[in-house]
Amino acid sequence: MDIIRTENIVKDYILGKIKVRALNGIDLQIQKSEFVAIMGPSGSGKSTLMHIIGCLDRATEGTYYLDDVLVSKMPQSSLAAIRNRKIGFVFQSFNLLPHLNILKNVELPLMYGGLSHRKRLARAKEVLQSVGLGDRLKHKPGELSGGERQRVAIARAIVNDPSILLADEPTGNLDSQSGGDILEIFKDLHSQGNTVIMVTHDQAIASRAQRIIKIIDGKIVDGNSDS
Amino acid sequence: MAIPIAESLKLGLSDIMMRKVRSVVTVIGIILGVMCIMVVLAIVNGMNKSTISWMEERGGLNKIEVEQNWQYDFSKGGDPSFTLKEIRYLQSLIPEAEAFNPTVQEWEAVINKDDIRYSTSLRGVMPDFVKVEQWNIDKGRFIKDLDIDLYSNVIVLGSTVAKEFFGNNDPLGQTISVGNQQFIIVGVMEKRFMQTQGGQIGMGDNALEYMNRRCFIPISTMISKVNPGGKISSLDIRAKSPEAAKELRRKVENIVLNLKNGKRLFQVTSAKEQLDTMQANVKVMEAIFFLIAVISLLVGGIVIMNIMLASIRERTREIGVRIAVGARRRDIFIQFLVQTILITALGGVLGILLGFAILKQVGNYLQIEVVASVQMIWVSLLVSIGVGLIFGVVPAVRAARLDPVVALREE
């Protein structure tokens, strides 16, 4: 079953008076429980594709089905619900809120999901324990190492039990040791049946995935064959 | 899956606590504006209260006064006085009046007993005087109808006059002379007192002391013996209610005008109408002060709006993250609007506290009575929340419209 299916996705940006085509006809299928790396040089359009898959941005043309639901025509408020329930983001620079402790950071998606205070506290604790930070709940992100921060970000991404986990250069700001640990977590999550999509420009990291999709100049050049 | 207001309140509060100094600086304009409203309301309350108590001390809002019209051009002829006959006729036309008292004044009468001489304002009055003025007798009795009919030589003293002559001794039954006439003292008036407001120089602390220096005799005795040819030039009437006083004033004015062949020799005023005029003046002041308060609140609101806009620029990435994890635009809008309102409400509360703190000082400095009321708290709180609501919309819309892709890229 395809969890993600796109047909002829085109994305244009207007920069001043020039139209820049970031994506030029992307047909992509990703199956449930796959671990996929999207690879390409910088400027290839891989981040744009990730934003569209993550419902943070809309395609200029084309259709996008997530879990067999046509999301490319959905209104903004419904997209917020999709992001909240079906997608977990992990960013290169962690994007934790620095003034909140890590427990609160992980609670954030649950709050927007409308969960009661008690339930989200319990769930956030549970997830933080699963990434090995159960004893650091009251710490602020600034008091943690890079690897630990990324683990908090992963906890936040999976706390709502999303359909897909989207990671954008998740090891880009980490030393190789912590980066390796993070990739192990992704592998574990994948082995538990999660769908993981990782965007990277690093061949070594991409090779940890089951399948590598290569993008150059807004087009898929390799890796979309086995669907 | 809207996040409830309670959640937004919690978010807003923690943001404010995190940026305490900035939050307080942000609301200085609001604090000043609210303090201004507090002080103005207290001053207006105080002025209204002291105006009303002044009126009440002078005989209440039911009182109507007929006095010589000083604006009348006497070259047109006419005598600004009433005869006793005219007075009786006038009284018969207004049976609805509760009390009715004409006065003949002798401004500089000299009273003496033994070696003591005292210059006083002597007034020939009728028994209704005590009702019209709402002024009770302290000792003895007041002038009676029989005294009028018999042209009796009886006198009632003001409390200060009684003290001048008799100290702590009982003046009742003693005789005293006014000019060449001997009078028997039958009563002493109650002392009138009202705290002087606004520090008028030379008034002492009792604004009504001039009343305690007066003496009263029957009007008939006044006209026939003490001041032959003395004229009845003023008349006080008491209506059943302040509203009835307005009505009665117009009626009396017409009767007096007819009596005097259409010449405006007298002016007829009602205390209620005077009070209305005075309160209208207070309203004008109130409006001016409120304008000042509104301007400072506007300035405060604009400052807050700009600080919130700056804060949103600073928090762009945070907003991006919130959107990425599922916040809707509405959630972001509410979060920032609630935060602005919380900040202005906080300013309002500080303003109210500081306002109460300086109220006494303002009162002392201006030497006027200031009266605090619960209404002041509500008005101030509502106004400060209103400012937050108005000036919080633009920053909140700006935050809610951020493009998450751009916001997440922001450093």
Side-chain angles (χ1 to χ4, degrees):
Chain A
M1 176 205 165
D2 287 342
I3 198 155
I4 287 170
R5 192 168 85 246
T6 74
E7 283 157 18
N8 193 30
I9 290 279
V10 171
K11 178 69 183 178
D12 291 331
Y13 285 113
I14 310 290
L15 287 176
K17 283 183 178 165
I18 311 158
K19 194 160 80 174
V20 179
R21 181 149 289 191
L23 296 176
N24 190 7
I26 299 277
D27 297 311
L28 177 69
Q29 291 88 37
I30 293 172
Q31 285 182 313
K32 193 165 161 48
S33 304
E34 249 193 305
F35 186 178
V36 177
I38 296 176
M39 222 187 107
S42 76
S44 58
K46 60 186 191 300
S47 287
T48 304
L49 180 58
M50 197 199 82
H51 289 143
I52 289 172
I53 292 173
C55 297
L56 277 176
D57 205 352
R58 289 162 176 281
T60 314
E61 283 171 37
T63 51
Y64 169 26
Y65 292 87
L66 174 63
D67 257 347
D68 278 334
V69 176
L70 180 65
V71 293
S72 45
K73 297 278 188 288
M74 273 191 176
Q76 279 288 353
S77 55
S78 313
L79 288 183
I82 298 269
R83 285 195 298 271
N84 186 254
R85 290 185 201 151
K86 301 206 166 182
I87 292 159
F89 284 102
V90 177
F91 301 95
Q92 178 176 3
S93 50
F94 324 130
N95 275 336
L96 300 173
L97 302 190
H99 50 276
L100 299 182
N101 65 35
I102 64 172
L103 188 62
K104 287 257 192 285
N105 264 287
V106 174
E107 271 186 48
L108 212 57
L110 300 174
M111 183 188 85
Y112 288 114
L115 232 64
S116 75
H117 184 70
R118 204 168 45 80
K119 280 187 185 163
R120 59 190 203 228
L121 201 70
R123 172 73 182 142
K125 267 186 194 163
E126 180 192 339
V127 176
L128 276 167
Q129 260 151 17
S130 77
V131 297
L133 291 168
D135 53 345
R136 314 287 293 272
L137 302 178
K138 299 287 172 188
H139 288 241
K140 299 237 168 113
E143 298 160 352
L144 304 180
S145 72
E148 287 168 330
R149 285 188 225 179
Q150 196 59 302
R151 279 192 270 156
V152 175
I154 292 171
R156 182 180 65 189
I158 61 175
V159 74
N160 253 353
D161 220 353
S163 308
I164 52 173
L165 199 56
L166 279 177
D168 187 4
E169 303 275 10
T171 59
N173 281 12
L174 302 176
D175 59 68
S176 55
Q177 169 70 48
S178 324
D181 293 348
I182 295 299
L183 289 174
E184 277 308 308
I185 295 177
F186 281 124
K187 266 184 97 173
D188 286 349
L189 287 168
H190 170 238
S191 64
Q192 289 160 26
N194 289 291
T195 311
V196 179
I197 301 167
M198 190 165 67
V199 174
T200 182
H201 67 278
D202 187 330
Q203 177 71 52
I205 290 162
S207 64
R208 306 288 287 268
Q210 281 178 312
R211 173 157 72 106
I212 299 175
I213 296 166
K214 284 192 177 145
I215 296 186
I216 293 174
D217 291 337
K219 274 180 179 295
I220 294 177
V221 294
D222 188 21
N224 209 15
S225 51
D226 51 65
S227 57
Chain B
M1 55 174 254
I3 68 163
I5 294 287
E7 209 66 65
S8 294
L9 280 173
K10 233 192 280 172
L11 267 178
L13 268 180
S14 65
D15 278 339
I16 290 167
M17 291 317 283
M18 213 157 47
R19 302 173 169 88
K20 286 184 200 95
V21 176
R22 176 195 274 190
S23 298
V24 169
V25 171
T26 307
V27 294
I28 283 177
I30 302 292
I31 293 174
L32 290 177
V34 166
M35 271 169 70
C36 195
I37 291 181
M38 295 282 290
V39 171
V40 169
L41 286 176
I43 288 175
V44 169
N45 281 348
M47 281 170 84
N48 278 336
K49 194 184 152 206
S50 57
T51 308
I52 289 171
S53 55
W54 164 257
M55 286 287 179
E56 274 166 2
E57 285 300 324
R58 293 187 66 248
L61 296 176
N62 298 5
K63 192 170 153 182
I64 296 161
E65 289 172 299
V66 181
E67 289 165 320
Q68 192 174 330
N69 180 7
W70 299 103
Q71 270 139 36
Y72 181 73
D73 178 3
F74 283 98
S75 65
K76 290 177 186 162
D79 176 18
S81 69
F82 297 106
T83 61
L84 256 180
K85 207 176 129 193
E86 283 172 324
I87 288 291
R88 298 269 185 227
Y89 171 67
L90 179 52
Q91 189 171 15
S92 73
L93 290 180
I94 47 168
E96 68 267 39
E98 204 170 75
F100 184 93
N101 179 60
T103 306
V104 177
Q105 311 190 11
E106 171 87 11
W107 290 102
E108 288 283 320
V110 175
I111 308 177
N112 60 73
K113 178 175 176 64
D114 306 330
D115 294 338
I116 308 173
R117 288 165 60 83
Y118 192 85
S119 178
T120 180
S121 163
L122 185 67
R123 308 201 157 203
V125 297
M126 301 217 305
D128 264 3
F129 174 83
V130 286
K131 277 200 217 160
V132 170
E133 296 288 331
Q134 301 278 285
W135 190 3
N136 296 328
I137 202 93
D138 181 35
K139 287 182 199 143
R141 65 168 176 88
F142 197 68
I143 292 154
K144 292 181 168 173
D145 280 324
L146 199 64
D147 297 322
I148 308 281
D149 296 344
L150 297 177
Y151 298 78
S152 316
N153 282 15
V154 293
I155 189 165
V156 176
L157 306 182
S159 61
T160 301
V161 181
K163 217 168 184 78
E164 285 291 331
F165 282 98
F166 302 101
N168 291 326
N169 297 328
D170 186 8
L172 297 185
Q174 304 265 10
T175 53
I176 201 164
S177 32
V178 181
N180 56 358
Q181 298 279 323
Q182 296 287 309
F183 281 83
I184 296 174
I185 300 166
V186 294
V188 177
M189 299 305 291
E190 213 173 59
K191 183 176 177 179
R192 300 299 293 265
F193 181 83
M194 186 178 140
Q195 185 62 48
T196 307
Q197 293 284 317
Q200 285 116 311
I201 295 157
M203 274 190 72
D205 58 350
N206 183 1
L208 298 176
E209 176 56 20
Y210 69 97
M211 296 178 84
N212 297 328
R213 297 174 187 275
R214 289 178 180 165
C215 296
F216 306 93
I217 60 173
I219 194 165
S220 52
T221 314
M222 184 71 149
I223 293 173
S224 61
K225 300 181 190 169
V226 178
N227 183 7
K231 285 169 176 171
I232 303 173
S233 56
S234 87
L235 174 63
D236 294 333
I237 302 165
R238 190 174 170 79
K240 287 199 167 58
S241 70
E243 284 311 309
K246 282 180 167 179
E247 193 87 354
L248 188 56
R249 185 197 72 81
R250 261 165 247 135
K251 186 172 171 187
V252 169
E253 191 172 51
N254 284 330
I255 297 169
V256 170
L257 213 53
N258 282 335
L259 266 176
K260 297 297 173 189
N261 306 318
K263 288 180 179 145
R264 285 203 180 272
L265 294 165
F266 290 92
Q267 60 177 7
V268 185
T269 54
S270 88
K272 171 68 176 150
E273 281 171 328
Q274 280 176 323
L275 179 69
D276 289 349
T277 315
M278 283 163 102
Q279 280 178 333
N281 291 339
V282 172
K283 280 245 148 52
V284 172
M285 271 187 56
E286 204 175 353
I288 292 170
F289 276 117
F290 262 110
L291 201 66
I292 296 169
V294 163
I295 289 169
S296 68
L297 286 169
L298 275 179
V299 173
I302 290 167
V303 167
I304 284 175
M305 187 169 81
N306 279 297
I307 290 179
M308 285 308 287
L309 284 172
S311 148
I312 282 160
R313 223 164 293 135
E314 226 171 71
R315 295 167 67 180
T316 302
R317 192 182 258 270
E318 174 192 332
I319 294 164
V321 171
R322 287 181 184 276
I323 292 174
V325 301
R328 292 171 308 169
R329 300 199 178 280
R330 196 201 302 170
D331 296 326
I332 303 290
F333 175 81
I334 290 172
Q335 180 190 340
F336 283 94
L337 185 62
V338 165
Q339 197 181 336
T340 312
I341 292 172
L342 267 176
I343 290 177
T344 56
L346 170 91
V349 170
L350 286 177
I352 288 167
L353 293 177
L354 285 172
F356 271 122
I358 65 161
L359 222 48
K360 253 210 145 67
Q361 275 69 30
V362 170
N364 288 344
Y365 178 70
L366 296 175
Q367 294 200 286
I368 52 173
E369 189 178 6
V370 290
V371 180
S373 67
V374 183
Q375 163 225 1
M376 284 166 27
I377 297 174
W378 288 120
V379 169
S380 305
L381 214 52
L382 282 179
V383 165
S384 53
I385 288 172
V387 169
L389 195 62
I390 292 166
F391 291 96
V393 166
V394 170
V397 165
R398 183 79 53 94
R401 279 200 187 145
L402 280 176
D403 177 351
V405 172
V406 178
L408 283 168
R409 220 182 280 140
E410 197 78 16
E411 277 315 315

